[in-house]
Amino acid sequence: MVTIDNIKLLKEKLSEERKQTKKIGFVPTMGALHDGHISLVKRSISENDITVVSVFLNPTQFNNARDFETYPRDLDRDLRLLFEAGADYVFAPTVEEIYPKDEPRQSPFDLGRVAEVMEGKHRPGHFAGVAEVVSKLFRIVEPDKAYFGEKDFQQIAVIRRMLSLMPDVSIEIIPCEIVREKDGLAMSSRNTRLNEDERRSAPFIYKALRHGVELFRKGASVEEVYKAVIEQIDQTPHLKVEYFSIVDGESLEDIKCWEESRVPVGCITVYCGEVRLIDHIHFTS
């Protein structure tokens, strides 16, 4: 495994790989890796000749300074996990490398409605920062495929929208299933910030979502499912729903009845103590 913090050197190395007609898979991360990240890396390894993983905590996508300051960081551990997983290249740049002070910031993408609802509404500027850094990374790595965890359901839609505005870039986006702890909690780097009591409460987010699917299968309306999920979570110690949206899985627009969507999805953000956790579930018969 080769670890690189320089854009020019990484591009040179990957150019040599492409000359040998090798297919390149890419897994962008913000570090603090867990088994969910590693599952993306292993899938990339299975589907490509070369796998590149970026470890970069991007400041422009944090609309909350404290969230950025408290985000877990452990590059040595990340590198060890990536070496054990079999990654070929790790790109671990500094902020100055990605955003040089003498280089003007790129114009924001017109991301449209998919970036304005849910997380976009509650975290102004977040997706503009995501699109900015991911577009930079895509142009640096130039992968054939890029792998993203479905826990960040809305982010995948935003990245696809971004790519539609980059006609000179051709990358296949590979969404990968959520990896969960044994008790159902979606794996997240933020989980390490939970204390023991909060960690015991956190799995009730997914339990409430599954309860919502059970109600859906029994014929409950969208409004009934919406109210039941929020009530169950808010009655759990340490948990408070920030928002719960039942949306069309393609447009991400709210639905009022199940017939309005071929792929209804429940997307939720919950504060567990001071830690902000996201999850989602598909409503299927």
Side-chain angles (χ1 to χ4, degrees), residues 42-61:
K42 290 183 176 178
R43 180 162 177 188
S44 175
I45 291 170
S46 72
E47 296 180 356
N48 301 278
D49 303 302
I50 296 294
T51 289
V52 181
V53 182
S54 64
V55 178
F56 178 65
L57 188 57
N58 177 42
T60 71
Q61 68 190 70

Side-chain angles (χ1 to χ4, degrees), residues 211-228:
H211 176 60
V213 172
E214 290 170 6
L215 292 176
F216 158 74
R217 290 171 178 168
K218 292 177 181 178
S221 68
V222 169
E223 184 177 3
E224 288 168 337
V225 170
Y226 174 83
K227 289 180 177 178

Side-chain angles (χ1 to χ4, degrees), residues 102-116:
D102 59 350
E103 180 182 290
R105 295 282 292 274
Q106 67 184 41
S107 299
F109 290 93
D110 179 10
L111 298 170
R113 282 287 294 167
V114 294
E116 295 170 356

